[in-house]
């Protein structure tokens, strides 16, 4: 990249990547510049609404390479082959094996019990098999790749019209990869005992640091999380106006030797299962990965969130009633 540091226009970046990345891997139909794509070959993005399908306006991103690559399933398959081949596929080489290994290795790990992040790759395990993944999200389009480097197995998915694909596609792709690896699906344990003696260490509210402009994270986790006991069960809820997340999820013990290790299940929402681990004054999630930190009870934003949830629920009911009456139904 030093060759183009003085000229970072999209065209220059595209030329560099075409010559030094795409061409060596045989990715002849991949570009970073929209004008280089034949218009008739572009997939149209859609949003699925209760009232029907809506075309997403065409946009060209300003972050070349990040959510701004135009490619084909064949080219992406060649890219996955290079990820599985130590940086090379049948067409050529772009990375040394040691470089790719460093990209897959943990570069950020908020807790040693969590796989953490590599360089632009989320790290996972599938029945003991190391896995790396990445997701693509722009309005109207969702994509996902998962690669098990040690096993030579990779899967990918692309869609130009789905509802909530950013949440359920990773779960379904993970299940597919587990099947291909012969690994059991992640499950919520029912045989590990509850440990009430540690609940006082865990209960409370945890603030999620970071900018409010991080819409993807804030939309899911809001201000943070709250842990409390409900009907004799330890529960975690997200402090967000989204009712399904605010209702909370039971924390299921996941490790007989570690009373601070749990799992939560989003099965009803199609989001799968995620590990939740507590350490001194912090809670860690392996899903992104993210960490939130304990704050005094007097600063808990629960009342504000409850008000927002109530307003949101009333708005949803109001929209439903308006739609029903427009359609001539009193129910």
């Amino acid at each position: 990249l030093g060759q183009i540091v003085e000229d970072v226009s999209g065209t220059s970046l595209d030329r560099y990547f075409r010559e030094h990345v795409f061409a060596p891997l045989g990715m002849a139909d991949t570009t970073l510049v929209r004008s280089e794509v034949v218009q008739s070959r572009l997939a149209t993005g859609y949003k699925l609404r209760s009232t029907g399908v809506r075309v997403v306006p065409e946009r060209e991103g300003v972050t070349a390479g990040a959510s701004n690559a135009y490619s084909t399933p064949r080219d992406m398959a060649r890219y996955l082959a290079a990820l599985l081949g130590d940086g090379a596929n049948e067409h050529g080489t772009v990375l040394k094996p040691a470089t790719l290994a460093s990209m897959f290795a943990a570069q950020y790990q908020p807790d040693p019990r969590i796989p953490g992040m590599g360089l632009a790759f989320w790290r996972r395990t599938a029945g003991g098999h190391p896995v790396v993944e990445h997701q693509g999200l722009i309005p109207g389009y969702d994509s996902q790749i998962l690669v098990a480097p040690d096993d030579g197995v990779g899967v990918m998915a692309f869609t130009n019209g789905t509802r909530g694909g950013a949440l359920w596609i990773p779960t379904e792709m993970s299940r597919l990869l587990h099947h291909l690896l012969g690994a059991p699906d992640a499950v919520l344990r029912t045989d590990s005992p509850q440990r009430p003696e540690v609940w006082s260490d865990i209960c409370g509210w945890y603030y999620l640091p970071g900018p409010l402009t991080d819409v993807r994270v804030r939309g899911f986790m809001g201000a943070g999380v709250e842990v409390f006991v409900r009907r004799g069960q330890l529960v975690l809820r997200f402090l967000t106006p989204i009712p399904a997340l605010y209702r909370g999820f039971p924390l299921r013990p996941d490790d007989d030797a570690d009373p601070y290790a749990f799992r939560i299940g989003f099965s009803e929402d199609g989001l799968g299962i995620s590990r939740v681990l507590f350490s001194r004054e912090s809670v860690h999630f392996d899903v992104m990965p993210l960490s939130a930190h304990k704050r005094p009870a007097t600063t808990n934003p629960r009342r504000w969130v409850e008000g927002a949830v109530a307003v949101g629920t009333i708005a949803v009911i109001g929209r439903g009633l308006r739609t029903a009456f427009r359609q001539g139904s009193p129910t």
Side-chain angles (χ1 to χ4, degrees), residues 202-216:
I202 294 173
C203 288
W205 93 275
Y206 297 78
Y207 168 72
L208 179 69
L212 296 177
T213 52
D214 191 342
V215 178
R216 182 182 180 187

Side-chain angles (χ1 to χ4, degrees), residues 27-105:
M27 299 171 64
D29 296 313
T30 302
T31 179
L32 303 181
V33 181
R34 186 183 184 88
S35 61
E36 296 293 326
V37 183
V38 178
Q39 185 69 27
S40 62
R41 298 188 64 190
L42 285 173
T44 300
Y46 299 94
K47 283 191 175 181
L48 307 185
R49 302 294 191 186
S50 58
T51 55
V53 177
R54 182 168 66 86
V55 175
V56 175
E58 295 184 359
R59 300 181 177 90
E60 183 167 6
V62 297
T63 52
S67 299
N68 202 39
Y70 301 87
S71 191
T72 63
R74 181 180 62 183
D75 275 10
M76 291 305 299
R78 290 171 175 171
Y79 171 68
L80 259 66
L83 295 180
L84 294 169
D86 290 331
N89 64 14
E90 61 179 333
H91 297 277
T93 301
V94 294
L95 290 177
K96 296 178 180 179
T99 302
L100 190 64
S102 69
M103 295 173 66
F104 291 166

